[in-house]
Amino acid sequence: MRSWFSALAIHRKLVVIALAVSGIALATATAGLITFDVFRFRTSAATSVRIVAGMLAQNLAAALVFEDLSEAGEILSTIRTQSQITTACVYRADDSLFAQYERSAMLCPARPVALDDWRSVGVIVPVTRGGTTVGTVYVERSLSDISDRMSVAAMASAGMLAIAGLVAFGAANRLQRVISGPIVELADAARAVGTGPGQELPSIDAPADETGELARALRDMVERLNRGRAELVSANEALHREIDERQRMQEEREALLARERAASRLKDEFLAAVSHELRTPLNVIMGWAQLLATAAPGDPAFVRGIASVLRNAHAQRRVIDDLLDVSRITAGKLQLKFHRVDLRSIVQSSLEVIAPAVSAKDVLVESKLPDGACLVRGDHDRLQQVLWNLLSNALKFTPSGGKVGVHLVQSDSHCILTVSDTGIGIEGSFLPHVFDRFRQADGTTTREHQGLGLGLAIVKELVELHGGTVRASSEGLGKGATLSVTLPSLSGHEWPGRDEGTRGAESEPLLAGISVLAVDDDLDTLEVLGSALRSAGAGVRLASSGAEAVDLWQQAPSDILLCDLGMPHMDGFAVLSSIRRLEAGSGDAAPALALTAYASEESRVQCLDAGFEGRITKPYDATQLVRSVAQAVGRLPVPQR
Amino acid sequence: VILVGITTVLTLLPRPAVSQPLREAELKAAVVAKFPQFVDWPPSLGSVIDLCVAASEEFSAVLRAFVDGEGVNERGMLVREIGRPESIEGCDLLFISGRSAREGRALLAAARSLPILTVGDSPTVMDDGGMIGLRMVGGRVRFEVNPVAAANSGLRISAQLLRLALAIRGGG
């Protein structure tokens, strides 16, 4: 019952409650009314019986006194209209039965005793005459009509209940909407919030009672819920962003780490290569030096030995030059001296330089050059370096019997130089790294083919400093490689400088008639220096210390001073200042060049500040040395800085 | 309507066996003794109802036995024997029995202007101006009534008594 009721919808509950309440009230009232009616009816029945009995007693006195039975019967018969009276009895004064009237077969009691039960009510009334009691009348009335009356009342009540129930049902059905309407609406809204997207609570026309309060509370709750959800969403997004950011940073860090590892590995490999490259010629030089130290003069091995020592010293110097170049380029301190340069003559001279190596290796070189000059704006020496690097690279990787092609083409705006070979070629995957520093195709290549792997890197940097581009291409391993350099070309009148590249070979020694004082504490270096200058035609005096140099200068000044900077007791700067003091009286100032192993720009500035015209960095080759000296004394023009 | 007689009047006054005349006298005395209950006398009467008997001595004795200790409306009853019409003074009821017609007529005449209920058992008593006349019917004492004569004397006879009467006489 309870669960059945609690499972009902609220509007049905209201109807049921209304029906139950009105039904109970009506039933109670009806029961009370019926009870009251029965009681009253009973009372009035008793009263009417008493009246009848009294009337009979009044009239029966004479009949009793004179023992007239027929008269008594007649008087008794007057109550025949009272259909509910079942018995009427007349007793004498001594309570003996005198006469009786009977509607039913009921007998008179032996003695007159009042009766009062649910079936019937009996009253006794004394018969008096002249102040004495002459007898008693007993009248009994059946109460059977009460149950009739009750059943009629019950039926009427049932009918009334039914009608009232219908009316109450109708009324409750209409009136319950006042209460259940907002609740049902609220429930629908709450359900919509619970199951749907639920961003907004539909506005509810809520009354100003508890339902309204509930609606307002629900709306507040939904708003708070939405706020919370929005905060959650934004927090979630922030979290996602942070996670993404961290992931990205992690990936960057890993990539960086990988690059650093690769770089570190490259540097290790490079260091190994450097030490190998430096050690190999050194071994040869030391070997020959030991042999020659014990060999008798005039031994034919001398010529071969000296040649070998020179070759290996050159090779070692090249390695060091390359390293220094790369260092300069990396530091951005490479200074280019731009002139109008004929690329064709550089190519020609380069081919002449490598000709001995070409013939030694039995490689065929095919060159195809334009008829006219191919002018570019550039640094002659650096472009020469580019050519050497490209050619020596091609030679290095081309086996005996192979071919190297050198093509120079002058287009409208560019000079395009192509060096191709039939060598080992380049693997497709390595092509992008051909120009990377410290990078060679792999370890085995490094072992088979000597070198630091810096050649092409230097080529690329130099060409790009000239505003040109380099490209490498290869059909694959074993199919040869092609490197092409494109430089912007100059038309004849664009550069009004001298044409350095077309300079012819020197007809007479550059330094003929020039006196030179060379100072170095290292006697070997001093020896080499002296022979190089003498072969250029200069008159040379040598000093192995600063003091000796100052003494020599005091005896007779020279046309130019070549002085090592780092010497014990008296360094280069002190030597120069002493000589300048000696010169102070004459008013003459001979040019001075510093010899130094420090190639940095700093040391250059330091030299200039100290009064040196320039400096020659060790190691130096004879040609460069001679050119620098010639420039310092005005035998050669000084290149613009 | 069912009318059933249950009891008999025979048991009303159980007495030892008596002679026929005595038995009749007892029956009549019982009836006479009850008449005062159904008659209203004019006010200003004494505290005793005087029952005057002009009959045999036996009757007086029987009646006296009946009314002894009895009363009507707190008035006691007294039985008195009278012989002459002059002694009727003070009577409330006069019973005449066993007298000559002339004697009877004289007594009735004497009582006529007085508030006296006159009762007799002669066949002519009603014609002579009596108010109630007793008749033996089937062993039972019945009576005739002349309420007009009674009213003329200032008496009122109860309707119940009239209903029991054999006949109602008028005039007188």
Side-chain angles (χ1 to χ4, degrees):
Chain A
M1 162 70 189
R2 217 182 145 81
S3 61
W4 162 84
F5 180 72
S6 62
L8 280 181
I10 197 154
H11 66 277
R12 296 204 191 289
K13 272 183 190 155
L14 287 170
V15 170
V16 167
I17 287 171
L19 280 182
V21 167
S22 59
I24 287 168
L26 212 59
T28 309
T30 309
L33 274 176
I34 289 175
T35 310
F36 178 70
D37 186 53
V38 165
F39 184 76
R40 207 173 52 89
F41 184 77
R42 220 164 160 276
T43 311
S44 76
T47 307
S48 72
V49 168
R50 197 161 284 115
I51 289 169
V52 167
M55 201 186 71
L56 287 177
Q58 201 93 56
N59 293 333
L60 275 167
L64 248 179
V65 167
F66 295 103
E67 295 277 339
D68 193 326
L69 248 180
S70 70
E71 174 61 16
E74 228 166 282
I75 290 169
L76 284 174
S77 73
T78 58
I79 62 168
R80 64 178 170 271
T81 54
Q82 308 277 319
S83 62
Q84 287 301 319
I85 291 176
T86 51
T87 315
C89 307
V90 185
Y91 297 85
R92 295 191 190 85
D94 60 357
D95 282 352
S96 61
L97 186 62
F98 166 59
Q100 85 169 15
Y101 158 85
E102 273 182 292
R103 172 164 291 273
S104 67
M106 299 266 291
L107 291 176
C108 281
R111 300 199 156 272
V113 176
L115 176 73
D116 191 5
D117 63 22
W118 280 108
R119 286 188 305 277
S120 49
V121 58
V123 303
I124 49 172
V125 175
V127 181
T128 56
R129 195 71 215 176
T132 55
T133 298
V134 299
T136 308
V137 168
Y138 171 79
V139 177
E140 189 177 318
R141 183 197 193 282
S142 162
L143 292 175
S144 65
D145 56 339
I146 284 189
S147 58
D148 295 347
R149 198 183 168 91
M150 273 173 72
S151 60
V152 167
M155 274 162 64
S157 299
M160 265 162 60
L161 257 175
I163 292 167
L166 277 176
V167 172
F169 180 76
N173 233 356
R174 293 189 70 80
L175 291 178
Q176 54 84 16
R177 281 178 208 149
V178 175
I179 294 169
S180 71
I183 293 177
V184 168
E185 220 177 316
L186 214 64
D188 287 346
R191 196 178 306 119
V193 169
T195 58
Q199 294 308 321
E200 277 301 321
L201 186 70
S203 70
I204 293 172
D205 185 20
D209 57 6
E210 289 88 338
T211 319
E213 247 169 68
L214 192 63
R216 280 189 291 280
L218 190 64
R219 197 174 303 129
D220 288 352
M221 202 170 76
V222 168
E223 271 171 23
R224 201 172 298 177
L225 211 65
N226 281 340
R227 266 206 303 280
R229 190 175 354 205
E231 281 168 14
L232 207 65
V233 165
S234 68
N236 206 11
E237 279 171 1
L239 207 64
H240 269 296
R241 275 199 301 276
E242 201 178 316
I243 288 171
D244 289 349
E245 179 69 14
R246 284 191 184 185
Q247 185 125 16
R248 203 177 53 73
M249 280 167 66
Q250 178 71 16
E251 279 164 9
E252 274 178 13
R253 208 172 294 144
E254 277 168 8
L256 204 66
L257 210 62
R259 273 205 302 279
E260 271 174 13
R261 280 205 199 99
S264 164
R265 189 173 51 77
L266 279 178
K267 270 180 185 149
D268 289 346
E269 285 175 7
F270 175 72
L271 272 179
V274 166
S275 65
H276 178 261
E277 289 298 306
L278 288 174
R279 198 175 285 272
T280 309
L282 195 61
N283 286 340
V284 176
I285 290 170
M286 283 175 69
W288 273 115
Q290 281 168 354
L291 277 176
L292 294 180
T294 55
D299 191 327
F302 259 99
V303 181
R304 279 197 296 125
I306 295 295
S308 180
V309 166
L310 268 177
R311 208 166 45 248
N312 281 286
H314 268 292
Q316 208 174 30
R317 207 194 73 177
R318 185 116 118 256
V319 169
I320 293 166
D321 278 347
D322 278 355
L323 282 173
L324 289 171
D325 280 346
V326 167
S327 161
R328 263 183 226 131
I329 290 166
T330 307
K333 285 180 180 158
L334 186 70
Q335 300 261 338
L336 293 182
K337 298 154 191 154
F338 284 113
H339 301 284
R340 193 164 62 163
V341 179
D342 180 10
L343 203 55
R344 193 180 71 121
S345 68
I346 293 176
V347 171
Q348 277 175 334
S349 65
S350 300
L351 286 173
E352 284 165 22
V353 168
I354 64 158
V358 168
S359 58
K361 204 173 181 184
D362 190 19
V363 169
L364 179 63
V365 174
E366 286 181 347
S367 62
K368 200 169 162 189
L369 306 179
D371 294 335
C374 200
L375 295 176
V376 299
R377 177 179 177 271
D379 187 313
H380 180 271
D381 294 346
R382 293 303 177 186
L383 287 178
Q384 184 100 59
Q385 196 178 352
V386 167
L387 256 295
W388 280 339
N389 281 349
L390 287 175
L391 289 174
S392 59
N393 224 46
L395 273 181
K396 185 162 80 178
F397 293 112
T398 303
S400 292
K403 274 201 297 190
V404 171
V406 179
H407 295 251
L408 183 62
V409 177
Q410 161 92 67
S411 79
D412 288 345
S413 55
H414 291 92
C415 293
I416 301 163
L417 173 71
T418 309
V419 177
S420 57
D421 61 53
T422 58
I424 58 167
I426 304 167
E427 207 175 344
S429 63
F430 188 66
L431 263 181
H433 305 296
V434 162
F435 298 106
D436 288 358
R437 284 193 293 266
F438 312 138
R439 195 107 176 209
Q440 291 191 324
D442 59 24
T444 56
T445 311
T446 307
R447 270 176 219 119
E448 193 181 338
H449 306 279
Q450 297 183 341
L452 288 176
L454 288 175
L456 286 181
I458 292 170
V459 166
K460 179 169 185 278
E461 298 287 351
L462 288 177
V463 169
E464 282 173 1
L465 283 172
H466 280 83
T469 55
V470 188
R471 274 192 318 111
S473 59
S474 173
E475 302 272 304
L477 276 180
K479 303 252 179 85
T482 302
L483 285 148
S484 58
V485 172
T486 305
L487 289 167
S489 65
L490 286 174
S491 47
H493 51 81
E494 259 184 281
W495 193 267
R498 288 166 300 156
D499 187 353
E500 227 183 295
T502 57
R503 190 187 63 223
E506 306 294 337
S507 51
E508 63 172 6
L510 255 181
L511 301 177
I514 299 291
S515 63
V516 178
L517 176 60
V519 189
D520 200 314
D521 59 330
D522 183 60
L523 291 179
D524 288 343
T525 306
L526 198 61
E527 198 66 40
V528 171
L529 205 56
S531 55
L533 291 169
R534 276 191 203 99
S535 64
V540 180
R541 286 187 297 171
L542 300 173
S544 59
S545 73
E548 189 187 350
V550 175
D551 279 349
L552 285 175
W553 195 275
Q554 202 166 10
Q555 292 161 19
S558 290
D559 291 330
I560 184 169
L561 173 72
L562 284 181
C563 188
D564 184 24
L565 287 181
M567 287 184 295
H569 308 303
M570 194 173 186
D571 68 7
F573 298 112
V575 173
L576 182 62
S577 60
S578 299
I579 289 176
R580 288 281 184 256
R581 272 199 300 278
L582 291 176
E583 285 173 345
S586 67
D588 245 357
L593 289 176
L595 298 170
T596 176
Y598 305 110
S600 73
E601 178 69 15
E602 250 176 306
S603 71
R604 191 180 72 87
V605 172
Q606 202 181 358
C607 293
L608 292 179
D609 286 349
F612 288 102
E613 250 65 30
R615 72 178 170 155
I616 297 163
T617 52
K618 298 177 187 174
Y620 40 76
D621 72 2
T623 316
Q624 190 198 345
L625 176 75
V626 170
R627 283 173 63 96
S628 296
V629 172
Q631 283 168 354
V633 297
R635 287 288 171 92
L636 274 178
V638 179
Q640 289 183 357
R641 291 248 160 95
Chain B
V1 175
I2 304 161
L3 184 63
V4 180
I6 295 290
T7 60
T8 62
V9 291
L10 302 177
T11 58
L12 181 63
L13 293 168
R15 292 281 190 261
V18 288
S19 64
Q20 183 62 34
L22 185 63
R23 164 115 184 99
E24 195 181 305
E26 277 184 351
L27 291 176
K28 286 178 181 172
V31 170
V32 169
K34 287 166 184 169
F35 279 141
Q37 294 179 27
F38 298 94
V39 175
D40 289 333
W41 277 271
S44 77
L45 242 65
S47 63
V48 173
I49 299 171
D50 285 340
L51 303 181
C52 298
V53 177
S56 64
E57 282 177 23
E58 292 92 340
F59 185 84
S60 297
V62 170
L63 184 59
R64 198 166 280 122
F66 272 118
V67 301
D68 184 33
E70 297 282 327
V72 176
N73 295 330
E74 295 173 3
R75 289 168 74 195
M77 285 193 289
L78 190 69
V79 177
R80 179 152 62 102
E81 286 181 38
I82 56 168
R84 289 178 301 167
E86 293 83 32
S87 59
I88 203 169
E89 191 82 22
C91 284
D92 292 309
L93 184 145
L94 175 63
F95 182 69
I96 304 163
S97 178
R99 303 289 167 137
S100 65
R102 193 180 52 82
E103 221 175 344
R105 270 198 296 274
L107 283 169
L108 287 174
R112 181 160 298 159
S113 59
L114 296 170
I116 296 169
L117 183 70
T118 53
V119 182
D121 60 357
S122 71
T124 60
V125 69
M126 297 308 288
D127 296 334
D128 292 342
M131 294 173 190
I132 296 176
L134 303 181
R135 302 282 182 270
M136 289 301 292
V137 177
R140 284 193 59 192
V141 177
R142 307 296 299 269
F143 48 82
E144 290 174 283
V145 180
N146 186 346
V148 179
N152 286 345
S153 298
L155 305 175
R156 202 181 64 80
I157 296 172
S158 161
Q160 287 191 35
L161 200 66
L162 295 179
R163 284 179 55 90
L164 294 178
L166 273 176
I168 309 292
R169 296 290 188 100

